[in-house]
Amino acid sequence: MAQWTSAVGASQLARLLRSQDTRDAVAPAGRRIPAYRGLADGVRLLVLEGRVPVAARLPAERELAAALSVSRTTVAAAYEALRAEGFLESRRGSGSWTAVPAGNPLPTRGLEPLPPEAASSMIDLGCAALPAPEPWLTRGVQGAMEHLPLYAHTHGDYPAGLPALRQALADRYTARGIPTMPEQIMVTTGAMGAVAAICRQITRPGERVAVDSPSYANILQLMRDAGARLVPVALTDRLAGWDIPAWRQVMRDAAPRMAYVVADFHNPTGTLATEDQRRRLVDAARAAGTVLVVDETMAELRLDDIEMPRSVCAFDPAGSNVITVGSVSKAFWAGMRIGWVRAAPDIIRSLVAARAFADLGSPVLEQLAITSLLEGDGWEQAVEIRRDQARENRDAIVAALRRHLPDWEFSVPGGGLTLWARTGGLSGSRIAEAGERLGVRVPSGPRFGVDGAFEGFVRLPFTVSGAVADEAASRLAAAARHVGAGTAAGEVETPHSFVA
């Protein structure tokens, strides 16, 4: 009986492998890595990053050799090396499929935080989330406890969200110049829960969804798992926002059912779309009949003295064409797991009705805590603490990168929580792998792209400062040196414990 659960075609695998060869990479002087070894390392990296699933059947040796224009002997030797290292299993008549060696953690396809107990030895730059801004978390929970007895006498299921929180969120939109009724708001379990609910309601497996390129890795994977056919649309040169002519062409030619964009301090690049770009994108989506889903989770994290453009939904105030997603995870604390959707009342009613088959509603206590903060001045003060912390972290990371990695290229974003760095022509995947062995965890560019794009990038969040930021950049520089010198993964020395 076959042990594989999916399959990777020869052309697909070849495309993913070729994406690892960045434009400026050069072979290290005096060292020549055998072709089979380079192929084996490439497949291993794809498995470790989750871009090729575990238990995926690989193409036959002859098929892959033809797709890569190499000899069958090279592919056979690479497969044999992978089998010896535990990354490939084979059975006569069933082919070969990917695996992970015993004792290795299963790779993830998205971005997830490390457990707290790993903090002593690993600097985690994988997750763009900060600790809670105290004392406002505690005060919010205390305010929630005062109102909890009233709700404790109910069944506790509020599929649309607590009425008080829906009203508070609607009031915030209205204060921003976008008249909003509570009936236009549904509270969700984080922004991920919001996008998942929208995808289930609007798209069907096989339908096209246009996305920024690059875009947020976990949302891309969510859409892939939902069966969407992702259509990437590149940002403009030097990440100056959206390429509107390209978006118009994609909407005209591909006719995507839905588009997902991040307008405010884009994750991962930090780009801020201009007001004119927002207006024109809404017009293009309306003309094409494409539902525009706009992620505003970073919108409140303005770190520099810049004028913020109006929200995208300001150009579709009724919410019939633009669906807005918000969350407290970035501006306040990810541990609250409270997000929301703003849309036309009929869309909200459909989303609420479908929720009976999902999670029924978000936790009452957390909703009460956020309501307590929004109804007073606690929210604004908490967000200001978050901005100060993110700004300090951003400046520390930028200074550390310029000190330790002067050949890396990046633009300093005016807000948000992430920086998008070009890695001097080296493979971001290989730097990420070497970095983890050196005690710094960073996601590589391809996680944020479609079909292996952005191999020459990594994403760096604003989550560390001071000596920790400097040490993180130092370890990344060491990882880059190992990659540039062609050091095998097993030769990278593991660092001593580091206490942040």
Side-chain angles (χ1 to χ4, degrees):
M1 179 178 174
Q3 301 297 308
W4 48 273
T5 56
S6 61
V8 181
S11 59
Q12 178 188 4
L13 183 56
R15 185 171 62 253
L16 291 171
L17 288 165
R18 290 192 182 105
S19 74
Q20 295 175 338
D21 298 326
T22 53
R23 57 183 176 84
D24 298 323
V26 295
R31 296 190 61 161
R32 181 173 180 82
I33 300 174
Y36 85 88
R37 183 69 262 172
L39 175 55
D41 287 346
V43 173
R44 177 175 51 79
L45 276 174
L46 292 173
V47 173
L48 288 173
E49 286 208 325
R51 289 193 282 152
V52 169
V54 175
R57 187 178 187 272
L58 296 186
E61 295 170 1
R62 191 185 304 277
E63 295 174 356
L64 185 57
L68 291 172
S69 299
V70 300
S71 70
R72 183 178 177 182
T73 302
T74 296
V75 177
Y79 278 16
E80 182 57 38
L82 289 167
R83 277 190 288 269
E85 295 163 5
F87 286 94
L88 198 68
E89 296 181 9
S90 304
R91 177 174 297 175
R92 186 179 297 276
S94 298
S96 299
W97 56 92
T98 55
V100 292
N104 277 36
L106 286 174
T108 60
R109 292 173 295 174
L111 306 177
E112 59 183 24
L114 285 176
E117 58 268 21
S120 63
S121 59
M122 183 72 69
I123 301 174
D124 186 10
L125 298 181
C127 187
L130 292 166
E134 287 287 26
W136 298 108
L137 172 63
T138 298
R139 293 184 184 180
V141 173
Q142 290 170 342
M145 293 301 294
E146 294 177 6
H147 295 92
L148 185 60
L150 176 65
Y151 292 89
H153 293 291
T154 73
H155 50 61
D157 288 332
Y158 294 86
L162 295 185
L165 181 53
R166 297 176 74 194
Q167 182 68 62
L169 292 169
D171 289 345
R172 286 184 65 80
Y173 280 104
T174 300
R176 292 164 59 188
I178 309 161
T180 302
M181 303 179 295
E183 291 79 9
Q184 290 179 263
I185 302 291
M186 180 179 84
V187 180
T188 62
T189 306
M192 291 290 292
V195 176
I198 294 166
C199 284
R200 286 193 300 267
Q201 188 68 24
I202 293 179
T203 67
R204 297 291 178 267
E207 286 189 321
R208 295 181 179 91
V209 175
V211 295
D212 294 327
S213 184
S215 188
Y216 179 40
N218 286 344
I219 292 293
L220 293 180
Q221 193 57 51
L222 182 156
M223 292 178 176
R224 290 188 189 102
D225 289 345
R229 296 169 60 190
L230 300 182
V231 182
V233 186
L235 297 176
T236 58
D237 291 340
R238 298 190 179 277
L239 306 178
W242 293 322
D243 185 337
I244 299 301
W247 271 101
R248 282 187 173 140
Q249 181 176 350
V250 164
M251 288 180 178
R252 182 181 64 246
D253 297 346
R257 179 73 180 91
M258 185 178 98
Y260 169 81
V261 295
V262 185
D264 300 288
F265 308 122
H266 176 268
N267 186 355
T269 67
T271 297
L272 179 65
T274 68
E275 186 159 308
D276 182 61
Q277 289 170 342
R278 296 166 189 238
R279 179 188 295 106
R280 293 165 65 195
L281 185 60
V282 172
D283 290 343
R286 185 181 293 115
T290 298
V291 177
L292 191 60
V293 178
V294 181
D295 188 329
E296 287 191 337
T297 53
M298 296 282 192
E300 296 201 56
L301 293 177
R302 176 175 56 86
L303 306 184
D304 292 338
D305 187 16
I306 54 179
E307 183 177 353
M308 289 294 294
R310 284 182 290 173
S311 172
V312 177
C313 61
F315 304 103
D316 179 47
S320 57
N321 192 244
V322 175
I323 299 179
T324 304
V325 171
S327 169
V328 307
S329 293
K330 304 303 184 184
F332 188 73
W333 187 46
M336 298 301 287
R337 306 311 310 145
I338 296 296
W340 58 87
V341 176
R342 181 199 179 275
D346 61 322
I347 296 175
I348 294 296
R349 286 193 294 270
S350 297
L351 291 171
V352 171
R355 200 167 186 182
F357 310 104
D359 60 2
L360 288 177
S362 300
V364 170
L365 185 63
E366 283 82 344
Q367 292 187 70
L368 286 173
I370 297 302
T371 304
S372 175
L373 292 169
L374 288 173
E375 290 180 341
D377 59 0
W379 178 264
E380 296 300 335
Q381 294 185 47
V383 171
E384 193 57 43
I385 291 173
R386 170 66 76 240
R387 292 191 187 109
D388 291 343
Q389 187 178 15
R391 186 184 302 110
E392 176 186 345
N393 291 356
R394 179 199 63 179
D395 295 347
I397 290 171
V398 166
L401 288 175
R402 287 173 173 165
R403 185 161 49 250
H404 293 283
L405 290 155
D407 58 331
W408 283 23
E409 302 171 37
F410 54 86
S411 296
V412 181
L417 286 173
T418 59
L419 183 147
W420 186 240
R422 187 189 294 273
T423 54
L426 299 175
S427 163
S429 297
R430 296 180 188 277
I431 289 174
E433 183 192 29
E436 188 138 1
R437 294 174 181 271
L438 286 164
V440 58
R441 182 172 178 259
V442 59
S444 65
R447 289 185 178 271
F448 304 89
V450 177
D451 286 339
F454 307 110
E455 183 60 53
F457 292 83
V458 296
R459 189 197 73 171
L460 302 169
F462 309 148
T463 53
V464 294
S465 187
V468 183
D470 192 77
E471 179 65 18
S474 175
R475 293 184 185 186
L476 282 173
R481 288 194 296 272
H482 282 295
V483 173
T487 304
E491 298 174 24
V492 179
E493 182 181 353
T494 302
H496 299 294
S497 294
F498 176 77
V499 179

